[in-house]
Amino acid sequence: RAQLTLLGVGGIAASLLILRRRLRRRPVVRVPYDEFSMFHENAKEHGLPFDHPPTVRRERVRMPDGRSLSALVWGEGPPEMVLLHGGAQNAHTWDTVALGLGGRPLLCVDLPGHGHSDNSARGVSDPAAAAADLAVLIEALAPAASAVVGMSFGGLTAIELGAQRPELARRLVLVDITPGVTRSKAKHVVDFVNGPRAFSSFDEMLARTIRYNPTRSESSLRRGILHNALQLEDGSWVWRHARFRGKGHAAQQPVEYSRLWDKLGGTKAPVMLVRGMRPTSVVDGALLWGASVFARAPPPARPHPPGLRLPPPDSTRSPCASRLPRRRYRRGGASATAAIHPDRTDSRGGS
């Protein structure tokens, strides 16, 4: 009986200790998030007018297998352009661009496994699978869009879309990406993406993001994390693109995309390359793109063709990118400018 009493006392003591520890835990502080509440910050950082909140809504489109893709629809008319973000990003990548275009109707997509979209059965780094899902979304929300603009992985997905469904990719704009992207050039991106899936606090996630993005303002990175991460019930944070990690999909690895050269070379749509000029760009030289697409030949050894002038990294002509010369690289009679300005007719008869 005494032994039972001791055991009972010990059990009560253990229970009280556990209860005491729980009471000592700080309550979870929820970080408020409204995805449509921060556009004024984008406008202020980039000197854009902001008289009133823009017209933008979120839409979801169901895939044939029951999954769904999500997108932001800007403006009131039928979207004129479809904008695709890079790997491990989301549709809010294009917020500042959308604001700068002053209400132009746009469709900004959350690619499969990113943002608010469900994952693809083939993971988050397969442009062919992403393009197949994207085609369903565009048919539903932007069937008459004049151009598809893709950044990084979004650009590779745009190339695949052009091959699979050319009627939905009437013009292509590739932002700082070619099928010649190399493992070494993409290492800094992959290292960041393949980092921890979850973080104990928002501040911990922000600190790591700042280390990998030293040229970005803290306010823009804070805003980006709110768009690109989820706070869990226990107060920890997880990247939206990492939600499916460990559920049949490995961490994102650099993939050889060289097979897309043939698909890009075979497109009949006008194509523009917007090349990032900062050291973190994954594009080695403009000729690697121009020669392979327009001459349909392997990239030559020389980094630049004769007469091609590229601005230095600190050029004021563009804050972070340059366009290939309009007259040197033409295809199908349409100038590269038409890819972004479909209402602008080329002086030599292009559409």
Side-chain angles (χ1 to χ4, degrees):
R1 185 178 297 176
Q3 185 177 5
L4 291 175
T5 301
L6 288 173
L7 288 174
V9 172
I12 294 173
S15 298
L16 290 174
L17 180 61
I18 293 173
L19 179 59
R20 184 179 180 183
R21 289 175 178 174
R22 288 180 177 176
L23 291 175
R24 282 182 175 178
R25 291 179 181 175
R26 294 181 180 178
V28 174
V29 178
R30 309 301 301 180
V31 177
Y33 172 61
D34 176 356
E35 66 174 324
F36 302 128
S37 68
M38 295 177 280
F39 296 132
H40 66 283
E41 295 183 12
N42 296 74
K44 182 178 180 180
E45 283 194 15
H46 295 274
L48 299 173
F50 192 83
D51 300 327
H52 54 81
T55 301
V56 56
R57 69 185 189 275
R58 183 168 287 281
E59 295 281 358
R60 298 189 71 89
V61 174
R62 192 176 181 85
M63 299 293 107
D65 60 3
R67 293 175 300 110
S68 66
L69 255 61
S70 183
L72 297 176
V73 182
W74 289 75
E76 298 179 350
E80 299 176 6
M81 291 187 287
V82 177
L83 305 181
L84 309 179
H85 60 79
Q89 298 178 18
N90 62 90
H92 283 288
T93 292
W94 299 101
D95 286 354
T96 303
V97 173
L99 291 170
L101 290 175
R104 193 164 187 168
L106 305 170
L107 180 68
C108 300
V109 179
D110 279 336
L111 291 171
H114 297 77
H116 295 257
S117 291
D118 292 334
N119 200 17
S120 167
R122 289 157 64 178
V124 299
S125 57
D126 186 331
D133 289 342
L134 178 62
V136 177
L137 184 83
I138 293 177
E139 282 186 320
L141 299 178
S146 298
V148 177
V149 183
M151 175 190 298
S152 191
F153 176 75
L156 300 175
T157 302
I159 295 171
E160 276 284 2
L161 179 69
Q164 294 180 20
R165 299 291 302 275
E167 75 279 10
L168 298 178
R170 298 171 178 85
R171 295 173 176 86
L172 295 177
V173 182
L174 308 181
V175 181
D176 204 41
I177 191 66
T178 75
V181 59
T182 63
R183 292 175 182 267
S184 60
K185 278 286 184 180
K187 185 179 184 302
H188 65 288
V189 177
V190 176
D191 287 349
F192 177 71
V193 172
N194 284 347
R197 173 181 177 273
F199 297 79
S200 61
S201 69
F202 183 90
D203 289 341
E204 181 184 352
M205 180 176 270
L206 176 61
R208 186 174 189 273
T209 305
I210 290 174
R211 288 198 304 271
Y212 276 84
N213 298 272
T215 62
R216 296 272 301 277
S217 69
E218 181 174 332
S219 60
S220 70
L221 295 176
R222 182 181 294 275
R223 185 171 62 248
I225 291 176
L226 289 174
H227 287 315
N228 210 26
L230 284 171
Q231 187 177 21
L232 305 181
E233 290 299 322
D234 62 359
S236 64
W237 290 78
V238 61
W239 294 113
R240 289 183 180 272
H241 58 81
R243 288 171 294 162
F244 308 100
R245 194 183 297 178
K247 299 181 180 181
H249 302 292
Q252 183 171 328
Q253 299 294 332
V255 180
E256 290 293 338
Y257 296 114
S258 56
R259 60 182 177 80
L260 292 176
W261 277 124
D262 289 338
K263 294 184 178 183
L264 182 57
T267 185
K268 296 180 180 179
V271 180
M272 173 190 283
L273 172 68
V274 182
R275 184 193 177 199
M277 299 305 295
R278 291 178 177 173
T280 51
S281 169
V282 299
V283 178
D284 284 321
L287 184 57
L288 298 180
W289 182 79
S292 295
V293 176
F294 294 93
R296 299 189 184 185
R302 288 187 300 181
H304 305 295
L308 176 58
R309 296 180 180 180
L310 291 175
D314 59 348
S315 171
T316 57
R317 196 179 78 180
S318 174
C320 61
S322 65
R323 297 177 184 174
L324 290 177
R326 186 178 74 168
R327 294 191 176 186
R328 184 178 182 86
Y329 295 113
R330 289 168 46 84
R331 187 176 182 82
S335 73
T337 306
I340 287 183
H341 302 286
D343 55 341
R344 186 177 300 175
T345 304
D346 184 74
S347 60
R348 289 177 289 173
S351 58

